[in-house]
Amino acid sequence: MAPGGGRGTGLPMRLPAPSDEWVRDVDVVVLGSGAAGLAAALAARPVREVLIVTKDVLDAGSTAWAQGGLAAVLDPGDTFAEHVRDTLEAGAGLCDEAAVTALVHDAPTAITYLERLGAAFDPGHDGERALTREGGHSRSRIVHAGGDRSGAEIQRTLDENAVNAGVQVMSRAFALDLVFGEGTPRQVAGVRIARLAEDGSVESTGLVTARAVVLATGGFGQVFASTSNPPAVTGDGHAMALRAGIALRDLEFVQFHPTVLWTGPDSSEQQVLISEAVRGEGAVLYDGAGRRVMEGAHPLEDLAPRDVVSAAISARMAAAPGGVDDHVFLDATSIGPRFTERFPFISEACRRAGIDPLVDRIPVAPAAHYTCGGIRSDLHGTTEIAGLYAVGEVADTGVHGANRLASNSLTESLVAGTNVGRALSWRLPRRVEPAPSTGREGLLPDRHRAAVRAAMSRHCGVLRTPEGLGAAIALLDEVASDVSADVAPTRRSLEATNILTVASAVLRAAAARRESRGCHRRTDVTAALDEWLLHLDVVLSDGRLEVHGGPGA
Ligand code: SIN
């Protein structure tokens, strides 16, 4: 076990719900309805019965909120080698170069594919697709739609195509736990589902059996009080994998977006992203005393990789220049009147907050944005469990390493999701009979959700201290003692339990990694150390978390 890989207390190994009242059998069940899940469902559908299970509605996840766009080499002056190099550099030594190379080569095709499905990307002056720049990219290579509504256009396109192709959708259906094969515990047989009423109470529990389960549940931004992610993003797939004994890799690498709209010290609702593309178009960061934040901090200054910008902002806020210690300012006035057309969503959000980006500096702060780590997988979704595939943010394909390069994630979701769907349309895993599920059941009362999220933002944010991480682990262990089989299953208590499970695992990985690398930054060891050029895996066994894989392991 790695240093800091201490033991948690009593996390549940199974989510309780009334016993199964119905069974449904399909070829492929996809959990989650963002870009990765929809791409998988769509590609498998022509020859398979495919069911998407979503705990909300199709577009409730992160995809629909993405602003920036999709990164791909489309400019004749750009090269695959440069996109690979930028991705590896952002990933701070922990990317899988083969996976990065494969993604970069497939990215232009993913964009053409989306266009053929009906996505309308913004045209540039020459009639070709407009390309913009974001942090860490040495070239303009981000394709966008509707100005800053890229994700909404991708979600719309994939929703329409999937539904028209006959993909079935089970909405308001909470995926509880994976079910394994009788006598074949390393092969998945299906998933237990709780159907939810509109008020979030459980209407019925059932079992969906399938030859293949595709986990596409997204990330876990809502584990933090301060996040750009929508309310549905509570780490359900990550927690489900932990309860199934599946190792989660690179959990400490939570990417904090440098700029969400700062609306007050205690905001814990989803925060409005101020896209990196705004800096790509020329906006500049200033501190509370009016000094530039990124000058001299990195050769790319305001367009440095995201981890660098978030860390610089956090360090500057800690110094409280001008008495301002919880936000900085983004000056986008140089963009001029074009701002409104290029960033319609951001313009509207700023105006609602009483800010005119054409004349005012926008108050911004970093917030949890993207989950680099997850289920060990590859660009074909392959996991350690037969019949189980992981795609999108829940997966760790090796593409992002210790820090994702901006706008590589939607491209990755498209490529990996489509790869999985295509493979499943060609061949399905064998059918296995579901075995009865076992393991200690329990749920966390929802009243603890806010305290867990606040502790994560306070102690496991952009800059982490060993004392803070220790305090958060102690607090969450205390909270875990309230997990009980007597708590009523509702959407809120199911989510709160998943939030606690994932938060506890992230804290242990962050405490174990005694260095600073990518988006994991510690104040006690500020450098990246050669002996830590490795991955950490977190495993939940018998309700206890263990971290595997530190130096000398
Ligand atoms: C942004 O628009 O800044 C976010 C893009 C991303 O997360 O890749």
Side-chain angles (χ1 to χ4, degrees):
M1 201 186 300
R7 292 176 166 274
T9 50
L11 291 166
M13 298 303 292
R14 188 166 186 258
L15 297 181
S19 54
D20 297 341
E21 295 157 65
W22 48 265
V23 179
R24 176 152 178 201
D25 184 59
V26 291
D27 295 326
V28 179
V29 60
V30 178
L31 309 181
S33 55
L38 287 163
L42 185 59
R45 171 56 202 149
V47 294
R48 303 295 178 202
E49 189 181 2
V50 182
L51 175 69
I52 289 183
V53 170
T54 171
K55 73 176 173 184
D56 206 301
V57 290
L58 277 183
D59 60 356
S62 292
T63 293
W65 294 91
Q67 294 182 0
L70 300 102
V73 173
L74 295 164
D75 183 319
D78 198 1
T79 63
F80 289 143
E82 284 170 279
H83 190 180
V84 169
R85 192 197 59 212
D86 292 346
T87 304
L88 296 178
E89 205 155 298
L94 289 186
C95 295
D96 174 340
E97 189 166 347
V100 172
T101 305
L103 176 72
V104 162
H105 280 79
D106 273 352
T109 310
I111 285 157
T112 313
Y113 176 66
L114 276 172
E115 282 177 334
R116 299 221 159 167
L117 292 175
F121 293 113
D122 294 333
H125 300 303
D126 53 1
E128 295 292 316
R129 308 166 189 105
L131 297 174
T132 194
R133 250 181 99 180
E134 289 184 359
H137 288 274
S138 54
R139 298 265 186 180
S140 291
R141 58 169 79 98
I142 319 296
V143 175
H144 47 86
D148 54 7
R149 294 191 175 108
S150 306
E153 176 64 1
I154 291 161
Q155 182 86 43
R156 179 199 66 75
T157 303
L158 292 171
D159 281 356
E160 281 178 17
N161 279 275
V163 170
N164 290 342
V167 170
Q168 297 165 60
V169 180
M170 191 188 275
S171 331
R172 290 214 308 264
F174 201 107
L176 301 171
D177 283 302
L178 295 170
V179 174
F180 290 90
E182 183 80 68
T184 50
R186 301 318 276 169
Q187 171 134 15
V188 81
V191 60
R192 290 177 60 238
I193 305 286
R195 301 292 311 253
L196 301 172
E198 217 160 313
D199 66 359
S201 59
V202 173
E203 273 180 349
S204 70
T205 316
L207 175 65
V208 173
T209 55
R211 304 266 295 268
V213 175
V214 181
L215 257 174
T217 46
F220 54 68
Q222 284 285 328
V223 160
F224 295 81
S226 175
T227 180
S228 63
N229 291 184
V233 185
T234 52
D236 303 326
H238 288 84
M240 181 190 289
L242 282 168
R243 284 191 297 274
I246 298 169
L248 296 188
R249 173 159 283 192
D250 295 333
L251 281 188
E252 63 275 33
F253 299 116
V254 175
Q255 183 172 76
F256 295 86
H257 195 287
T259 57
V260 300
L261 181 62
W262 181 88
T263 50
D266 300 318
S267 174
S268 63
E269 304 300 322
Q270 176 189 8
Q271 281 150 326
V272 174
L273 195 67
I274 306 293
S275 175
E276 224 164 31
V278 177
R279 277 174 285 129
E281 303 282 346
V284 173
L285 288 159
Y286 290 92
D287 66 21
R291 283 191 302 268
R292 280 193 59 192
V293 175
M294 293 310 296
E295 195 171 41
H298 189 277
L300 291 172
E301 298 200 327
D302 293 84
L303 280 177
R306 217 166 257 188
D307 57 326
V308 176
V309 182
S310 288
I313 291 175
S314 295
R316 193 63 70 91
M317 292 190 313
V324 184
D325 67 357
D326 54 5
H327 62 282
V328 293
F329 297 90
L330 186 64
D331 188 340
T333 54
S334 65
I335 300 173
R338 201 170 61 83
F339 188 97
T340 316
E341 191 194 334
R342 175 66 181 86
F343 302 110
F345 180 84
I346 296 171
S347 297
E348 182 51 36
C350 285
R351 293 229 163 77
R352 273 202 309 272
I355 298 151
D356 180 355
L358 301 190
V359 292
D360 302 324
R361 289 183 176 177
I362 307 167
V364 291
H369 179 62
Y370 188 83
T371 303
C372 297
I375 299 170
R376 282 178 63 184
S377 174
D378 58 22
L379 284 176
H380 293 269
T382 319
T383 70
E384 60 182 87
I385 306 285
L388 179 69
Y389 303 84
V391 290
E393 206 170 339
V394 75
D396 185 336
T397 61
V399 162
H400 308 308
N403 176 46
R404 176 182 63 103
L405 184 67
S407 289
N408 267 354
S409 48
L410 280 171
T411 325
E412 185 205 31
S413 290
L414 250 292
V415 169
T418 305
N419 283 344
V420 169
R422 273 202 315 239
L424 292 174
S425 73
W426 192 249
R427 183 173 291 117
L428 287 173
R430 70 193 171 96
R431 180 176 300 286
V432 285
E433 285 307 309
S437 303
T438 54
R440 188 176 84 90
E441 291 187 345
L443 283 173
L444 182 70
D446 185 51
R447 65 174 183 276
H448 292 298
R449 178 194 294 238
V452 172
R453 296 180 66 216
M456 290 301 284
S457 275
R458 174 149 180 234
H459 295 303
C460 198
V462 179
L463 301 177
R464 300 166 174 176
T465 66
E467 298 76 24
L469 293 170
I473 288 173
L475 181 108
L476 267 56
D477 282 354
E478 179 65 30
V479 166
S481 63
D482 251 8
V483 168
S484 153
D486 297 333
V487 176
T490 63
R491 173 169 169 170
R492 295 288 296 183
S493 62
L494 294 165
E495 286 180 346
T497 310
N498 286 342
I499 286 173
L500 173 68
T501 302
V502 173
S504 303
V506 172
L507 283 170
R508 279 173 174 79
R513 182 174 286 279
R514 293 192 173 148
E515 64 156 355
S516 292
R517 179 183 300 279
C519 44
H520 170 68
R521 304 260 168 168
R522 292 179 54 136
T523 55
D524 55 332
V525 193
T526 54
L529 306 178
D530 285 350
E531 70 259 35
W532 278 100
L533 203 51
L534 44 76
H535 299 279
L536 294 177
D537 291 328
V538 183
V539 177
L540 180 66
S541 163
D542 243 348
R544 318 242 166 229
L545 290 161
E546 291 178 357
V547 182
H548 298 277

